[in-house]
Amino acid sequence: MATRQLGLGPAFAAAAGLAAAVGVGRFVYTPLLPIMVDAGRLDAHGGALVAAANYAGYLLGAVALARRPEWNGRNTFRLAAIALIASDLLMALPAPPAVPAALRFVAGLASAALFIGCAAIAARHENRRRAAGIVFSGVGAGIAAAGLLVLLTQHVLSWQALWLVSAAVTAALLAPTRRLDIRPGVRRGTGARTGAGAEPLDGDPADTAGRCTLSRPVDARIPPRVAAESTACRAGHDEVAERRARHDALTAPRMEHGELTARRARHGEVTARRTRQDELTARRAGQDELTACQAEQDHLTACRPGRTWRALRVSYLLEGLGYIVIGTFLVAAVAGPGRQAEGTLVWILVGSAAAPSTVLWGAAARRWSATRMLVLALILQAVSAALLAVSSGTAAALVSAVLFGATFMGIVMLAMEIGDDLADGPAAATLTAGYGVGQMLGPLVVAPVLGSGYTAAFGIATAILLAAAAAALVVHRAYVSIEA
């Protein structure tokens, strides 16, 4: 069993790692996309393809580490950090669209390794939920920092310079992660956890079946003292007879007392044997009860990775597919001509709402349940996508940004927590792989409808997120049944 960590220092370092890996290293592309489009570097369709390349890299990294968790050691983590910084630096180079797509692919690959490594820090902590709230809040803080960086410098720096500054911020945030205890995973199946076998009964009293030899009193025989010399000494004979009578009178009670003592000894021995037999029967009954409880627990544990685990994976895959449409195109939808600052402010609002959201969702999960909160968070995120689909106004965009920021990292944290309970072994890599599939497919699914705007894309995202909520409801019902 993994050693539980003490203190929250590693959690804060891991939060900085996620701020770099996800908040800045990956999502700085969202506020920079409108600037690159205005500069003629990319168009909307090309931007979607570059985003899809990033998500494809994230998917490949997650799948590789899910299948080979032993690869996710300290060296892999450090190599991923270097690759992420280098990919941000090289994005500043003017090149054909295939080059930024390849660089974002590398960034996605590195982000997956960094995310899984940092998420494992929270999973190993003695206070898992509190540590997870801190660790995953780093994503929101990184998003807010990236948006603030672009807002303050977009009128001063070119898009190339902004990528260079982003690389420097990423490197600074990754510095605290050098001391993290990144441990390679161990490949394990998702079958039922097999508990330790019941210990055998101690001191099995098999030897009590033997017979115990009881001593019995032997009749005391007093040899007669016969006067052999003279039959004439009748007085002596009478005296001997009288003495014998007195002796017999004294011996009889002693014989009765000895027999009573022997009977008491035999009764005590029988009582002791019955007591030992009763103790053995009671212990065997307790052992049978323990075995039955263990069998029931094994049965319940065996049920967990089945339908419930599959439903969670489906829900999380759909979440990756739906949320990424909002995350990729929210700023571009808001930042129309002359509204770049407004789009960036919306992205800062997303990060500001995301930063405390994991702590708040963790508190709500303690009060109610993680599965119930997962369903609620997915419904609220579907509402955020629906607002963008039905309205292009500033008020709708602001409310959507708050709802999106307040839910997407909370969903990640809740899904990871539930997955750790359902799966035998770390669930982060497996869930992240499905999440990566959704992220890669999201921009590709909506790319054909991006010609005239983003309304249809957000409508598709709404439907997908409602489907994710429906799958999460299956998880909630099954999980409550299992826990009951």
Side-chain angles (χ1 to χ4, degrees):
M1 181 179 293
T3 303
R4 294 282 173 178
Q5 296 178 344
L6 301 174
L8 294 175
F12 284 107
L18 287 187
V22 183
V24 179
R26 289 188 65 207
F27 282 119
V28 73
Y29 177 76
T30 300
L32 282 177
L33 178 59
I35 300 175
M36 297 175 72
V37 170
D38 287 346
R41 180 71 175 87
L42 294 170
D43 57 17
H45 183 73
L49 294 179
V50 171
N54 180 259
Y55 308 140
Y58 190 84
L59 169 63
L60 180 60
V63 170
L65 293 177
R67 297 182 66 88
R68 301 289 185 185
E70 65 272 16
W71 290 354
N72 193 31
R74 189 184 303 270
N75 292 335
T76 301
F77 189 88
R78 291 177 176 175
L79 182 62
I82 295 171
L84 182 63
I85 297 169
S87 67
D88 285 353
L89 285 172
L90 295 175
M91 281 292 292
L93 297 177
V99 174
L103 292 174
R104 296 308 292 165
F105 177 87
V106 172
L109 195 69
S111 295
L114 294 173
F115 178 87
I116 293 172
C118 291
I121 298 298
R124 292 201 308 266
H125 199 276
E126 61 171 357
N127 191 337
R128 182 181 63 175
R129 187 168 284 162
R130 184 180 181 188
I134 294 172
V135 170
F136 292 113
S137 69
V139 174
I143 288 174
L148 187 61
L149 170 66
V150 174
L151 177 67
L152 295 177
T153 60
Q154 63 183 344
H155 298 298
V156 179
L157 301 176
S158 64
W159 64 268
Q160 294 98 328
L162 286 173
W163 276 110
L164 296 177
V165 175
S166 298
V169 173
T170 300
L173 290 173
L174 286 173
T177 65
R178 291 178 299 175
R179 295 176 178 266
L180 287 179
D181 183 18
I182 305 299
R183 304 177 187 177
V186 178
R187 272 186 283 175
R188 288 187 286 182
T190 56
R193 296 179 179 91
T194 55
E199 293 183 359
L201 290 173
D202 294 332
D204 187 8
D207 55 344
T208 59
R211 295 182 179 179
C212 184
T213 302
L214 299 179
S215 60
R216 298 178 182 270
V218 180
D219 292 338
R221 296 180 181 180
I222 304 175
R225 297 182 178 180
V226 181
E229 287 134 357
S230 177
T231 57
C233 297
R234 295 183 180 274
H237 182 272
D238 293 340
E239 183 180 357
V240 171
E242 184 179 356
R243 289 180 180 177
R244 289 180 61 187
R246 287 198 302 269
H247 185 272
D248 291 341
L250 292 175
T251 304
R254 292 179 181 177
M255 292 174 61
E256 293 176 1
H257 181 268
E259 185 177 358
L260 178 61
T261 302
R263 289 178 180 177
R264 288 178 177 175
R266 289 195 301 273
H267 181 270
E269 180 68 19
V270 171
T271 302
R273 293 177 65 185
R274 288 179 178 175
T275 301
R276 288 195 297 271
Q277 183 66 29
D278 291 341
E279 289 178 357
L280 177 60
T281 303
R283 293 172 69 183
R284 286 177 176 170
Q287 179 65 26
D288 292 342
E289 183 178 359
L290 178 61
T291 303
C293 292
Q294 183 65 40
E296 182 179 0
Q297 180 64 30
D298 290 344
H299 172 71
L300 291 177
T301 305
C303 294
R304 290 187 173 183
R307 181 170 176 262
T308 311
W309 173 234
R310 289 193 297 271
L312 178 64
R313 292 168 63 182
V314 169
S315 176
Y316 201 55
L317 183 150
L318 293 174
E319 157 63 10
L321 200 158
Y323 108 94
I324 203 61
V325 175
I326 308 173
T328 302
F329 302 112
L330 171 62
V331 174
V334 175
R339 299 174 61 188
Q340 286 186 359
E342 185 176 330
T344 305
L345 283 173
V346 166
W347 193 243
I348 294 174
L349 190 58
V350 169
S352 300
S357 67
T358 51
V359 176
L360 297 177
W361 284 113
R366 285 193 297 272
R367 182 175 178 85
W368 292 284
S369 72
T371 53
R372 189 187 301 273
M373 292 302 100
L374 179 62
V375 175
L376 177 61
L378 286 165
I379 292 174
L380 292 177
Q381 192 173 110
V383 171
S384 74
L387 287 173
L388 296 172
V390 300
S391 174
S392 58
T394 302
L398 294 176
V399 175
S400 176
V402 172
L403 289 176
F404 176 65
T407 55
F408 84 96
M409 281 313 300
I411 291 170
V412 171
M413 183 193 72
L414 293 170
M416 293 294 171
E417 178 180 333
I418 298 168
D420 281 339
D421 290 338
L422 292 175
D424 184 15
T430 302
L431 289 174
T432 302
Y435 198 68
V437 171
Q439 287 183 126
M440 185 187 69
L441 294 178
L444 299 178
V445 168
V446 301
V449 300
L450 291 177
S452 58
Y454 300 97
T455 300
F458 292 129
I460 294 173
T462 302
I464 292 171
L465 291 170
L466 288 176
L473 185 60
V474 173
V475 176
H476 172 64
R477 290 176 176 174
Y479 196 85
V480 169
S481 176
I482 290 173
E483 289 301 310

